[in-house]
Every structure is written in C-alpha cells, then in structure tokens.
Amino acid sequence: MSSVYRSLSKKQKTTHTPDATSSETKGVRQRLLALTSRGVTYRHRHLLQDINSLLPHSRKDAKLDTKSQLSQLNELADLYNCNNIMFFEARKAKDLYIWLSKPPNGPTVKFHCQNVHTMEELNFTGNCLRGSRPILSFDKTFDGQAHTRLIKELLTHVFGVPQSSRRVKPFVDHVMGFTVADGKIWIRCYQISETEASKTGSKPTDQENEAPAASTVTAAKEGRGETSISLVEIGPRFVLTPIVILEGSFGGPVIYENKEFVSPNQIRSDLRRTKAGRYNTRAEGTLERKVKKRDLGLRTGEGRREVDELDERVLFA
C-alpha cells in the first residue's frame, strides 16, 4: 500500500504543477497596444517604430481619428486582448503627448515628450537582438513619492517584456534606464557589450608560441571566462514630463497634477508677447522723437517755427 500511495502522490504532484505554472504565467502576461493620432511628424512615427521593435509583446495599430473621445482606446484594447496602451497624441504638428494606460480600470498617466532622438538619427553604434528581453533599471528617486512609484509600476508593465510572450527570444542583451531629474523622466537604452579578456590582453611571447597546442587551448579556455562588460547606447532616447494622473482609463478623477508644468503653447505665447513688447517700445520711441522734432520746428513742412529778432527773415528783410 505504501508503494501505491507514493506512486499516486507523485502523479498528483506532476498533474498539479503545470496548472500552477500556467496560472502564474497567465497572471503576469502583458500585451501592449501602441498607436498614434493624426498629425504626427516623421520623428514621432520613427520613435513609435523603434519602441515597437524593442518590445516584442507590443501590437501596432492604425492611427486614431479622434482626439477628444480617447475612451475608444479601451474598446480597441479589448478587441486585441491588450492590457496596456501607449497612445501618441500630436498637437499642432509640434508637440507630442504620450498616454500610458491600464484598461479597463486604469490608471492613466499623461506625459509631455521632449528631446526625441531615434535610432537612425544619431547613428548609435550599439545593437541588440530583435525580440530579446530588456533589463529595466530604475533610479532610486522613483521610490521617494507616491506618484513616482505609480509611474514606475506602469512603466514596468509597459516596457517589461514578459517571458511568456509569443515573439520573445530567450536572450537578455540590452538595458533600459529610467532616471528622474528636474521633475522629468529620462529614458535611455543601452546594449550589454561583452569583450573577452584574451582579445584585449597582451600578445603571447616566443616561449608561449613554442608550447604545445594543448596548452594554448587550455589557456584560451581559461581566458574565455574573463570578460569585460560595458554599455553601448542603442537608442532611442527621449524625456517624459508627467502632467496628470487619472484614476480610470482615459477618464475619471484626477489623483495627481503637476503644478510646475507649463504647456508649450503658453511658452510660445509668452515669447511672442515679449517680442511684441519690444516692437511696441521701439515704435513709441520713434513716435516721441518725431513729435519732439516737430515741436522744435526741426522737421520741414511740419509745425510752426517762432520768428525772433535774430531770425534771417528779420535781419535781411
């Protein structure tokens, strides 16, 4: 009976283990829906292509026609079975706003994207395997405040490639760095470059060359274990400024608002106002000079000049 009990217990363990693993993998599976709005520039479009190539669990969709009814993105995410949304909203063919959301219940974070540099723009020397998983490196500043912790969790879901993805490959050869500085999130991507120490070391001497081939093979094998690891930037690089965090998916009450954020429209209007103010001061100065010369009678044909005893018309009359 004991042998039968042991065999049955082994069968139960083997039958229950795949269900547990499958339930765990189903719980952490993430899929990303990436799309843009109408009016994006070529740089914004290339940035989305670079992000889509780096994230094998993402799905790229056609442009969204509306900018006011963003709740339609929840239906698209449900249609494509995606639980993360990255939406590029372009304004005036200049400004780029990135929405990150967790449909259908939220939350949603709106960013202002600046300093965009794509892979092909700066000719980055690094390279990584297509479909590989990245290592996400977050600055310790993310753990300081509540809204930065929420943003960190959302960025982890969006840029963290799950192991159970369809197009993923079993390699980890690049790092994505997220750093908080000046109230902004700086995103960089680097390749993990490994260089063997035998290639970078000194050349063998004559005595080593005279040694038998077996010793050289063992030395080469011993040298393979010593590698130097360095980081080479791949791209793309961009900076995100958090604007607002909504409780729901593209809606709901505001749970965080960046009071220090100034919209690019306000900056452009202030610059135009300062230029207009300088022009107005110059125009008023020229008008004052003209009025002063007219009152003094220094302009021909304008104003009246008083005739005194020393005037030419009185002396030579």
Side-chain angles (χ1 to χ4, degrees), residues 8-216:
L8 290 175
S9 61
K10 288 181 180 179
K11 289 181 180 180
Q12 289 177 0
K13 288 181 180 179
T14 53
T15 54
H16 285 297
T17 49
D19 294 336
T21 54
S22 62
S23 63
E24 289 177 0
T25 54
K26 289 181 180 178
V28 297
R29 182 173 295 178
Q30 303 289 338
R31 293 194 64 186
L32 176 65
L33 176 65
L35 70 164
T36 64
S37 65
R38 296 289 180 182
V40 292
T41 61
Y42 69 95
R43 183 173 295 177
H44 304 160
R45 187 172 63 253
H46 291 173
L47 176 63
L48 183 63
Q49 291 176 358
D50 294 342
I51 294 176
N52 188 27
S53 63
L54 287 174
L55 304 178
H57 69 295
S58 64
R59 177 189 176 89
K60 188 178 177 182
D61 197 31
K63 296 179 180 179
L64 189 67
D65 293 330
T66 180
K67 294 182 181 179
S68 58
Q69 300 177 359
L70 297 182
S71 59
Q72 296 179 3
L73 295 172
N74 297 325
E75 300 178 0
L76 286 176
D78 189 16
L79 180 64
Y80 294 122
N81 194 17
C82 297
N83 53 0
N84 297 288
I85 296 177
M86 177 183 289
F87 177 64
F88 283 25
E89 181 184 1
R91 294 287 182 179
K92 296 185 177 180
K94 298 178 182 179
D95 307 325
L96 177 63
Y97 296 93
I98 297 180
W99 295 77
L100 299 181
S101 177
K102 293 283 294 181
N105 298 323
T108 304
V109 184
K110 182 181 180 181
F111 299 98
H112 179 229
C113 187
Q114 293 175 310
N115 301 332
V116 177
H117 299 285
T118 59
M119 291 182 180
E120 299 179 355
E121 183 178 356
L122 294 181
N123 295 325
F124 293 108
T125 57
N127 192 10
C128 68
L129 184 66
R130 188 181 182 90
S132 60
R133 300 176 64 199
I135 297 175
L136 304 183
S137 175
F138 289 93
D139 188 12
K140 64 179 180 180
T141 315
F142 279 96
D143 299 330
Q145 299 178 356
H147 69 280
T148 53
R149 290 196 296 269
L150 189 145
I151 293 173
K152 176 183 177 181
E153 187 68 21
L154 191 59
L155 291 175
T156 304
H157 290 182
V158 171
F159 291 97
V161 179
Q163 192 174 2
S164 59
S165 181
R166 264 188 327 179
R167 297 179 296 174
V168 73
K169 295 181 181 178
F171 299 101
V172 178
D173 58 353
H174 63 284
V175 180
M176 297 193 70
F178 301 89
T179 308
V180 177
D182 297 333
K184 302 177 181 179
I185 301 174
W186 304 71
I187 300 178
R188 299 288 186 268
C189 189
Y190 301 95
Q191 174 201 357
I192 303 174
S193 177
E194 297 183 0
T195 306
E196 294 183 3
S198 60
K199 294 182 179 180
T200 59
S202 60
K203 295 182 179 180
T205 59
D206 296 337
Q207 296 179 357
E208 294 176 356
N209 292 330
E210 293 177 357
S215 62
T216 57

Side-chain angles (χ1 to χ4, degrees), residues 208-229:
E208 294 176 356
N209 292 330
E210 293 177 357
S215 62
T216 57
V217 172
T218 55
K221 288 183 179 179
E222 291 176 359
R224 288 176 186 174
E226 299 177 359
T227 58
S228 60
I229 299 175

Side-chain angles (χ1 to χ4, degrees), residues 1-9:
M1 291 296 293
S2 61
S3 60
V4 174
Y5 177 77
R6 289 176 183 176
S7 62
L8 290 175
S9 61

Side-chain angles (χ1 to χ4, degrees), residues 269-285:
S269 64
D270 292 341
L271 292 175
R272 288 195 297 267
R273 193 175 294 108
T274 53
K275 291 180 181 179
R278 290 197 297 267
Y279 173 76
N280 292 334
T281 53
R282 290 198 303 269
E284 290 176 359

